[in-house]
Amino acid sequence: MDVDPAAPIPDAPETSSTPSLKRPQEDDAGDAASASKRAKAENTEAVTEETGDAADGAEAAEGAKEKADKRGDGKKVQKQKGRKGKDKEYARTRRRGTRPEGEETRTPDDGEPKAPRLPKRPCALLIGFCGDGYNGMQIQPDPKVRTIEGVLFDALIKVGAVSQDNSDNPTKVKLGRAARTDAGVHAAGNVVSMKLITVIPDLVAKINEELPSEIRLWSIIRVQNSFNARTTCDSRKYTYFFPSYLMIPPKPGSGLWNTLKAQGAECAPHPFWENAESTATPQDDLERKRAYRITPEQLAALRAAAQKFEGSHNFHNFTVGRDFRDRSCQRFLKSIEISEPAVYGDTEWIAVLLHGQSFMLHQRKMIAALVLSCRTNTPPQIIEEMYGPRQVFVPKMPALGLLLEYPIFESYNRRVAAINAKLQPGDPEYRAPIDFEVHRAQLDEFKQNFIYAKMRSIEDQFGIFDGWIRSIDAYAGHDLEYLNPKGIIPQSAVIKRGEFRNNPFREKKRYDATSFPAGGAGDAAAPGSLEGEESSEEEETQLPLDKEELADLEG
């Protein structure tokens, strides 16, 4: 699936580093250096930042900050490496001096008084959002790129939770997130960590008034100074939804059907295709597919194959730009569950719940391997084969079905629980646990109104999943020949980096989209039609991004 921290070794905390807009390091040396810098920053922060935990703490912080601000005037330029190796620059304007909290001063430029300086507190913002129409979760240097964090940050500035002094650069308030979702991907829950001005009455309600209805702030929790949404997060839960008609075997005479038959598969006619009219159009087939219901045998096969993902494995074949030797490909999946099918409208849907420490870019490939192997009667051991050193091509499932449920902070909650045992909720040292379940009713209502309803509506209107499975079945090359009755990867399906591939599978860009506005790309490719679609030129054998950039796209 598409998401988004650097890979931990099994049962170990994640090793991705810095939050906000800085690229995390993936190798051990980078992690160690980054961790060392964070530790120094946190130690300094305890002296220089206003913590609000003691009266003399604020006074000491103001004195230290005055020394820092007196280092010089003018602008300090921070360079940040963006995607594709391009440098982004942020200009930071140093203050000419400092002032005690609450004191107004006149600037030398226009003579207007500045707003009183208010203390910032480390906080965790629990949010939910529908990613439709947004270019992913993470805020981008270009203000024209609309992101979830960008809209949230603007709302925080409007209500005064982020001061004007810090409004030009989110790194000033140490903005970070627990999981980075790709463009169009939804989240019932995610955590943003940053320093906020929290003395504003009814802060959550005021922020929600400034946010669009598809982005909701569930709560703001005061956290420990060392809290980092990404590195403190223990694990994440995702759900992937797909129509059960994807389990119908390939249509007789299709490219994949011929490939299976050539490799010795017994391609007995499936009742669905036996009952099809010879003059049926793809639209006619889709109407019949929506009436299809998965059999108990198919559901059992799905669940048996899904268990092959649990545990610690090398997931290099379920992402892009990584090979078997990359240690970051070693990930730990805590559990995978397949729910009972549920019918909505005319279509039966299946939900797959994945709980893992972290997920690699394009984790949707895991679901594709699961679905394709079961619908072709390929033995589930093929998934275990994919953990080996040989590289194969696994297509991505449509982005439409992916949902981040919420991140989990078990270790942090245990730590604060031990501290809270000696405190009362009103104590300045008290830190509430991070728990999305206290907002369960709000989360469920939000998912139904803003995520599930839209997901089903798009599928009903445009037949996204049907178009995807037909693009798979139409392929007659070698890339999918690991779908066979032996459950082994044949040499013909192995991809060697740098070698020419004859007739490689080309993925369609429309299946990475989650919104299809009227008159847009969706209408150009109505259900039952793939004509006119632009194919992605991305080659799985090439490294599209460097390690730091790939780690920044994971969650």
Side-chain angles (χ1 to χ4, degrees):
M1 306 173 197
D2 293 30
V3 292
D4 320 12
I9 59 176
D11 298 316
E14 295 183 356
T15 57
S16 62
S17 78
T18 56
S20 77
L21 295 175
K22 296 182 180 179
R23 302 290 182 186
Q25 301 294 326
E26 288 203 352
D27 54 61
D28 291 343
D31 287 342
S34 180
S36 176
K37 290 179 181 178
R38 281 203 312 276
K40 292 180 180 178
E42 290 163 3
N43 291 336
T44 304
E45 175 187 334
V47 178
T48 60
E49 292 293 342
E50 304 128 343
T51 64
D53 295 334
D56 58 345
E59 184 176 353
E62 195 60 45
K65 185 174 289 185
E66 181 176 357
K67 292 180 182 179
D69 286 338
K70 287 183 178 179
R71 292 175 185 167
D73 296 331
K75 294 183 181 282
K76 174 183 176 183
V77 176
Q78 172 187 336
K79 289 187 176 180
Q80 177 182 324
K81 193 173 183 180
R83 293 188 64 179
K84 308 300 183 185
K86 295 180 180 178
D87 286 342
K88 306 295 182 182
E89 293 187 353
Y90 288 104
R92 295 186 176 185
T93 303
R94 287 190 179 277
R95 299 190 183 94
R96 294 182 178 275
T98 58
R99 59 190 183 280
E101 285 187 14
E103 179 182 321
E104 295 187 0
T105 186
R106 305 184 74 84
T107 66
D109 299 326
D110 53 16
E112 291 296 325
K114 280 193 173 183
R117 176 177 297 173
L118 300 174
K120 304 187 298 293
R121 308 296 185 226
C123 296
L125 286 72
L126 278 61
I127 66 173
F129 55 85
C130 171
D132 182 15
Y134 290 87
N135 193 17
M137 170 74 180
Q138 188 173 7
I139 195 169
Q140 299 296 321
D142 184 355
K144 296 179 181 179
V145 179
R146 193 165 186 252
T147 65
I148 300 296
E149 284 181 353
V151 173
L152 175 63
F153 194 67
D154 288 343
L156 295 173
I157 295 171
K158 289 179 181 178
V159 302
V162 172
S163 68
Q164 289 298 322
D165 286 335
N166 295 329
S167 63
D168 62 329
N169 191 346
T171 60
K172 291 181 178 181
V173 291
K174 299 187 177 180
L175 177 68
R177 79 288 310 160
R180 179 205 177 277
T181 55
D182 285 340
V185 175
H186 318 300
N190 201 355
V191 171
V192 172
S193 59
M194 61 190 303
K195 292 191 171 184
L196 287 184
I197 298 170
T198 59
V199 295
I200 303 168
D202 301 320
L203 182 56
V204 172
K206 289 182 178 179
I207 294 172
N208 276 324
E209 289 177 0
E210 297 294 338
L211 290 171
S213 57
E214 68 270 13
I215 303 177
R216 292 292 87 188
L217 174 62
W218 307 127
S219 62
I220 297 176
I221 298 176
R222 177 80 162 86
V223 294
Q224 294 180 328
N225 291 344
S226 60
F227 182 87
N228 178 300
R230 187 167 186 169
T231 59
T232 310
C233 180
D234 293 306
S235 59
R236 299 151 180 86
K237 285 186 177 181
Y238 284 87
T239 300
Y240 191 88
F241 300 89
F242 66 89
S244 65
Y245 67 68
L246 294 188
M247 297 300 295
I248 299 172
K251 186 175 184 178
S254 65
L256 184 57
W257 187 87
N258 290 330
T259 297
L260 290 168
K261 190 173 182 180
Q263 295 190 90
E266 294 183 5
C267 299
H270 189 272
F272 179 87
W273 296 116
E274 281 187 316
N275 297 328
E277 297 289 340
S278 59
T279 58
T281 65
Q283 179 61 36
D284 294 333
D285 287 341
L286 177 56
E287 290 180 5
R288 293 177 57 246
K289 286 179 180 179
R290 286 174 172 158
Y292 180 80
R293 302 295 180 256
I294 191 172
T295 65
E297 293 77 17
Q298 287 179 315
L299 185 60
L302 270 178
R303 286 171 171 161
Q307 301 309 306
K308 300 294 184 180
F309 284 117
E310 290 187 347
S312 179
H313 306 289
N314 188 314
F315 286 90
H316 72 103
N317 272 317
F318 300 96
T319 185
V320 295
R322 303 284 181 88
D323 61 33
F324 178 77
R325 296 167 296 179
D326 192 333
R327 284 189 63 219
S328 66
C329 296
Q330 196 75 20
R331 303 286 168 121
F332 182 70
L333 188 67
K334 291 174 175 287
S335 65
I336 180 169
E337 300 175 8
I338 298 178
S339 64
E340 288 295 318
V343 177
Y344 298 95
D346 296 329
T347 306
E348 182 181 63
W349 291 78
I350 296 175
V352 182
L353 178 63
L354 303 102
H355 181 194
Q357 283 184 331
S358 63
F359 293 89
M360 305 188 76
L361 178 64
H362 298 327
Q363 58 181 297
R364 292 177 280 150
K365 288 174 173 278
M366 295 170 58
I367 308 300
L370 177 64
V371 169
L372 294 180
S373 62
C374 289
R375 73 187 292 262
T376 59
N377 289 322
T378 299
Q381 73 184 51
I382 191 62
I383 294 175
E384 295 176 315
E385 288 274 313
M386 291 179 180
Y387 300 139
R390 289 177 294 179
Q391 183 180 355
V392 296
F393 169 80
V394 180
K396 302 188 299 286
M397 290 284 278
L400 181 64
L402 183 60
L403 166 69
L404 169 63
E405 291 289 347
Y406 55 75
I408 299 171
F409 297 81
E410 292 176 341
S411 300
Y412 175 80
N413 288 345
R414 285 196 299 267
R415 185 163 68 247
V416 297
I419 298 173
N420 293 340
K422 303 177 183 178
L423 305 172
Q424 296 297 321
D427 193 290
E429 297 289 340
Y430 184 90
R431 298 291 179 264
I434 298 175
D435 183 9
F436 280 93
E437 288 300 325
V438 300
H439 305 288
R440 172 49 58 193
Q442 293 171 287
L443 264 64
D444 288 344
E445 181 181 4
F446 181 79
K447 287 194 293 186
Q448 289 294 338
N449 295 336
F450 286 92
I451 298 176
Y452 296 159
K454 181 166 291 188
M455 183 187 303
R456 296 163 190 154
S457 174
I458 291 174
E459 165 60 20
D460 288 344
Q461 186 176 1
F462 299 111
I464 298 301
F465 288 94
D466 178 56
W468 178 80
I469 201 65
R470 285 189 297 104
S471 72
I472 298 293
D473 289 352
Y475 178 67
H478 298 295
D479 285 355
L480 300 181
E481 288 184 351
Y482 54 81
L483 300 173
N484 58 62
K486 296 181 179 179
I488 60 174
I489 299 174
Q491 190 60 35
S492 57
V494 175
I495 297 173
K496 295 183 179 179
R497 196 177 297 275
E499 283 192 4
F500 173 77
R501 292 158 59 199
N502 184 30
N503 188 23
F505 190 99
R506 298 291 187 182
E507 302 206 81
K508 307 293 183 179
K509 287 184 177 180
R510 83 184 295 235
Y511 304 125
D512 288 330
T514 59
S515 60
F516 301 87
D523 288 346
S529 173
L530 292 177
E531 287 76 18
E533 292 188 2
E534 182 180 3
S535 296
S536 169
E537 295 301 320
E538 177 184 89
E539 284 285 354
E540 301 291 327
T541 56
Q542 301 299 317
L543 186 65
L545 303 170
D546 64 29
K547 287 185 177 182
E548 293 182 18
E549 291 172 319
L550 276 170
D552 197 42
L553 296 178
E554 299 175 348

